[in-house]
Amino acid sequence: GVLAYVAWLHITSQYTMELPFSQPEELSTQEEISAEPEEDAFLRIEPVEFEGLDPSKPMVALSFDDAVTGITGDYLAILEEYGCEATFFVVGYLAEKQPDIFRLLADSGMELGNHSYSHEQLVGLSVERAAEQFDACSALMTGLAGEEAAPVLARPPYDRVDGRVLEASAVPVVLYSLDARDADAETAEEICGRVMGSVTDGDIIRLHDGCTQTVEALPSLLEALREAGYQVTTVGKLFAS
């Protein structure tokens, strides 16, 4: 998929967190990462076997941006009912406003990702300022729920990334290959139709926390994916399998 790639970064610098965050400077679009990354931009790791997943069969990852919200628990209940895992990309200030819901998410066993602290545009920021966004979110997550709640992936807001954003993240940066555009959908059926009309093996499906139509669509979507022969898992397990 055009928008699905991972870059592994080892960041040793420490940055000072300063709030509130400044607005990004103007940046030429030519500085953004190409939609067709170089071959060596992909994360290379040895395949790992996970209980309940067969790497020889079709597999997709479910991911939810903009966690947490007042209805995160509804997502978790449905995923648990269907025995599925997913990746939730957490916005720091949202978790800060609803710490109990974040702890519920952290305790659920779902994979956690970093979606920045304030959900501002990171392209155009310096490496230091972008790192402040990621670091503030990570620190909040572990402060609320312990080291086990540390994010293992990052997804920049607004699907935009450049070299400075990649350098700013201490964990792999991943986008997606299939956008359900659920936040703009009027019905649950529309969401299911968008996904099932385009899904292929290896897709990272992007959905959103906080959308009632997405919660309504989730049971039908999980059933449809299974009926079509897809295993549903996290982003990390998809890449590792």
Side-chain angles (χ1 to χ4, degrees):
V2 197
L3 284 178
Y5 62 90
V6 176
W8 186 262
L9 302 166
H10 297 282
I11 305 300
T12 58
S13 302
Q14 298 296 317
Y15 301 100
T16 303
M17 299 177 195
E18 297 178 3
L19 299 179
F21 297 97
S22 63
Q23 293 300 313
E25 303 168 358
E26 291 296 323
L27 178 72
S28 168
T29 54
Q30 281 81 8
E31 293 187 48
E32 291 188 50
I33 296 297
S34 167
E36 296 290 350
E38 297 294 331
E39 181 181 354
D40 61 4
F42 287 85
L43 176 64
R44 291 191 181 88
I45 53 179
E46 291 299 319
V48 178
E49 292 185 4
F50 295 102
E51 184 177 355
L53 290 178
D54 184 345
S56 68
K57 295 181 180 179
M59 191 182 308
V60 296
L62 277 189
S63 64
F64 297 95
D65 285 1
D66 303 341
V68 294
T69 72
I71 58 174
T72 301
D74 296 337
Y75 289 77
L76 297 177
I78 295 168
L79 290 166
E80 182 179 3
E81 178 183 351
Y82 283 86
C84 293
E85 294 179 302
T87 304
F88 284 78
F89 288 93
V90 176
V91 177
Y93 85 89
L94 294 177
E96 192 170 32
K97 286 183 176 180
Q98 302 173 96
D100 290 341
I101 296 178
F102 174 73
R103 292 187 187 101
L104 177 68
L105 172 61
D107 290 342
S108 70
M110 299 296 164
E111 186 172 65
L112 301 181
N114 188 325
H115 201 40
S116 82
Y117 178 83
S118 64
H119 203 277
E120 75 169 88
Q121 177 61 257
L122 300 186
V123 168
L125 296 179
S126 65
V127 172
E128 292 80 5
R129 295 298 283 177
E132 288 172 7
Q133 281 281 338
F134 286 133
D135 292 350
C137 184
S138 294
L140 180 71
M141 292 168 68
T142 56
L144 289 175
E147 290 302 319
E148 291 185 358
V152 296
L153 298 168
R155 177 176 289 168
Y158 308 112
D159 318 323
R160 292 183 67 197
V161 61
D162 63 10
R164 285 176 285 188
V165 173
L166 292 177
E167 186 178 347
S169 178
V171 293
V173 172
V174 60
L175 299 182
Y176 53 86
S177 57
L178 199 169
D179 187 2
R181 292 176 287 133
D182 53 319
D184 299 327
E186 296 183 358
T187 65
E189 291 75 18
E190 189 176 351
I191 295 170
C192 289
R194 287 174 178 174
V195 173
M196 298 311 300
S198 303
V199 67
T200 59
D201 184 23
D203 268 335
I204 299 173
I205 301 169
R206 194 272 288 268
L207 297 155
H208 290 84
D209 195 350
C211 298
T212 55
Q213 66 270 29
T214 304
V215 173
E216 293 172 4
L218 197 51
S220 298
L221 178 58
L222 293 173
E223 291 173 5
L225 287 168
R226 283 184 171 175
E227 288 175 4
Y230 291 101
Q231 303 170 95
V232 177
T233 189
T234 65
V235 174
K237 288 184 177 180
L238 175 69
F239 274 103
S241 295

